[in-house]
Amino acid sequence: MNSDKNDKPTVRERVMNWLGILVLLSIGIVWPAAFANTADASIDPADVRAGSLLLRTSGEGRVVEALRQSTRMRAQVTGNVARVRVTQTFENPGDEWVEGLYVFPLPAGAAVDELEMRVGERRIVGEIKRKAEARATYERARSEGRRASLVEQERPNMFTTSVANIAPRSSITVEIAYLDVVPFRDGRYTLHLPLSITPRYTPGVMRDPTSPWAAEVARAVNRYGEALQRADQPLHFSPTATPERVAPGVQNAQIDIELNPGFPLDAIDSINHPISMSITESGRRISLQGDRVPTDRDFELVWTPAMQPDTHADAFAERVGDETYALVMLMPPQMSAARAYRREVIFIIDTSGSMSGPSIEQARAALHLGVQRLAAGDTFNIIRFSSHAESLFPAPQLADTQARAFAARYIDSFVADGGTEMRAALELAFSMPPASEALRQIVFITDGSVSNEADLVGLIRRQIGSARLFTVGIGAAPNAWFMREAAAAGRGSYLFISQVEHVRARMEDLFRKLENPALVDLELHWPGGMKAELAASLPSDVHAGDPLVIAARLPETPRGVLTLTGRSVGVAWTRQLELKAAGEHSGIAKLWARERIAELTRQRHFGINPAEQEARIVDLALRHHLVSDFTSLVAVDVTPARDAAIELTRHQLPTSAPMGGAWASTTGFASTATSAPVWLLTGLLAIALAAVLWLSTLRDRAAERSSQRVIAGLRPYGASWDNSRERLAGKPGRCLALRFRR
């Protein structure tokens, strides 16, 4: 019989199998390369910075770079005040007319007061207008083909720049300027320049910050939130969700600083970036090293005085029109006393997805130190949260050896995943009955990446009771505004930890605040009994190492000294300061107005006469030329540049994702990006299929050879292949048939 010959694959079957493998391999190897070559004819995607977009043009389907954005920051620091200029250049190398949208962070206390748009040799100075009016002016100029730029505040520390009618193969430069106070905290000054954005989590709203439609989705959320507010419905998210869009990679940025501290320096250091430094007549000139620096982390420049005074204090006055503005900056002496009370410490730790990478490592290290530092007789508990919240113990436990060991194992088990439901964690902490005769301190460790900040700050303010809340900002780009506002509402303090190696030093700063008594019952007395309008109320508590910054508006220039008094553990404290005349263009009036606007905004969020507070905010912002929730800066060229019949393409430029976070290594691609990754993925799948088919062929051949050996051994008993193609176990195929001779 010739049954064995029929069992072997035919020549036709073998040829078809190998042809199939070769076709799949050719798809996997040649197709991605072909499309990569098409893209390379216009631009190499590997060379594109994070501040660039790729899009497919209409017509030939070529991939070109649509828009580039680069940033330069120049800071002039004099004493405690910084004047910072941020220059954003939008370059259009393509053949289409483009409108760009860029979302960027600024310090929480930044007083944004200047805007200038430059087109070639033309310079257009921005005007401050009500937000709706500024937006209408910009949109009218955009539709008429005139070049225009608009700077809006999305949040207190988040702004957007819109630039309309960027001509093909041309650029538009937008420069904004702001004032900020450089704080003296824990014995050092820190100039903080935000560069990166941690995307905000919005409870109940799913948003992809890597999407090119991030702005549109966020604005829809805004409109929905505003509608709920008008209908007096409860809000579960902020009505001003930020339209952030982030992308991995390194963006082109330059930073130059002129530092004139007014006193000898002991040390100066850049926390996150390498710098070069030279000595000038009045101080230091500092620049980032290299043209391409990582903007995936915030820039922090730290300097310390050569001599640490017991009390560091300055008071300056500036006359603007008929009014005098004063800025008082003071570091009260550390009040030490033997602790005669027990502490109850509740640690809240964020384990959401935005804390992945180095952030969760920093958080775990900080929490380990916090538990180790507890004294005998103290009680503690740990609450972790992501999409839900849970506590280690049902109630705070005595910090004995067993409880600490149990806590250490619990901390080591933390992984970063899920949403950022902060409200559940805070409510769980507030619901725990406090121990009698113990001072409750809540230590909140998080990156603060939520969009409902105002709602959470209001919750803390209402339910804090006699406790104190301290925030620890974690990561390369924490939400500094939320960390500061939450600590202020909780009558505590805040600090930031950007790297794991800084955890111990920064936590030591926190321990001093937790373990030393605070300065309370503060009162400020102006000379001659003069009445002043403070930008914000005096804090109820001032903790060790924290500065006291007071901005005030006075009817006239005070003569004499001002006196600040307070108490600590029953001991009276007094400090007198003499006002000095501020230098020209010091900006004290604008800093007062910005802080006053921030205070009125808090009152508005808390429901205190919202309509009245809005009117006062608008009045202050217009008089002092400041960007706010209700005012924007707009600059419009009078000459039309684009014919209205020519299409205008809009693109949102991504901001750098924070270092080590979930978005720093995302493989998601926007629909406006190059399709090369899609073809690459297709090619890899084709290669994988070819490999599977090839391995399957080898396996079948090996199985057939093994079966032939079995059959050869059983032929004396009548064994042979049954080629009837019967279904065996539900699958078609040949089976081994044994026919035993009798």
Side-chain angles (χ1 to χ4, degrees), residues 79-108:
N80 301 76
V81 178
R83 164 62 82 177
V84 183
R85 298 190 178 277
V86 182
T87 304
Q88 300 169 346
T89 300
F90 297 83
E91 182 183 353
N92 177 17
D95 299 325
E96 299 179 340
W97 286 81
V98 174
E99 176 190 14
L101 171 67
Y102 184 60
V103 181
F104 59 99
L106 287 180

Side-chain angles (χ1 to χ4, degrees), residues 93-211:
D95 299 325
E96 299 179 340
W97 286 81
V98 174
E99 176 190 14
L101 171 67
Y102 184 60
V103 181
F104 59 99
L106 287 180
V112 181
D113 62 338
E114 293 182 15
L115 166 65
E116 181 179 276
M117 181 175 67
R118 296 195 290 269
V119 185
E121 298 299 321
R122 296 177 59 80
R123 295 174 178 264
I124 300 97
V125 177
E127 299 179 72
I128 192 74
K129 295 185 177 183
R130 292 175 181 267
K131 199 165 195 174
E133 182 184 355
R135 166 61 63 175
T137 300
Y138 172 81
E139 291 180 349
R140 184 167 56 253
R142 179 182 61 191
S143 63
E144 294 173 354
R146 292 181 290 153
R147 298 180 178 92
S149 61
L150 175 70
V151 175
E152 297 177 292
Q153 177 181 306
E154 295 288 341
R155 299 178 183 277
N157 60 341
M158 201 76 69
F159 293 76
T160 61
T161 296
S162 300
V163 183
N165 294 308
I166 309 174
R169 292 174 297 282
S170 70
S171 64
I172 292 180
T173 298
V174 175
E175 181 176 284
I176 66 171
Y178 68 85
L179 285 159
D180 197 16
V181 174
V182 181
F184 182 69
R185 297 174 59 84
D186 299 313
R188 57 186 176 270
Y189 291 88
T190 302
L191 175 66
H192 178 222
L193 301 178
L195 298 176
S196 181
I197 293 177
T198 300
R200 306 291 193 258
Y201 173 85
T202 301
V205 179
M206 296 301 293
R207 293 192 292 120
D208 178 11
T210 65
S211 167

Side-chain angles (χ1 to χ4, degrees), residues 553-626:
R553 182 169 65 179
L554 303 159
E556 59 184 80
T557 303
R559 308 292 180 185
V561 298
L562 58 89
T563 303
L564 185 66
T565 62
R567 290 187 309 104
S568 180
V569 291
V571 179
W573 174 85
T574 301
R575 175 65 171 167
Q576 289 188 322
L577 296 173
E578 184 174 356
L579 281 170
K580 308 170 188 175
E584 188 178 2
H585 308 302
S586 64
I588 292 177
K590 290 182 182 291
L591 290 170
W592 174 87
R594 178 61 186 175
E595 182 56 34
R596 186 64 187 148
I597 288 171
E599 178 70 8
L600 294 173
T601 301
R602 294 184 195 102
Q603 296 177 16
R604 183 175 178 274
H605 285 157
F606 299 151
I608 304 174
N609 301 323
E612 178 183 339
Q613 307 304 355
E614 179 178 336
R616 296 170 69 184
I617 290 170
V618 170
D619 178 65
L620 279 170
L622 292 177
R623 282 200 291 126
H624 292 272
H625 209 261
L626 295 175

Side-chain angles (χ1 to χ4, degrees), residues 80 97 102 118 185 248 270 285 287 386 417 478-479 494-495 530 552 581 607 655 661 686 704 721:
N80 301 76
W97 286 81
Y102 184 60
R118 296 195 290 269
R185 297 174 59 84
S270 172
R285 180 178 292 111
S287 300
S386 54
D417 190 23
N479 184 354
Y494 64 88
L495 61 89
M530 184 180 298
T655 309
E704 184 174 343
W721 279 114

Side-chain angles (χ1 to χ4, degrees), residues 295-308:
T295 58
D296 56 357
R297 66 209 76 173
D298 292 349
F299 177 82
E300 290 184 79
L301 186 70
V302 177
W303 61 94
T304 55
M307 296 185 63
Q308 292 282 351

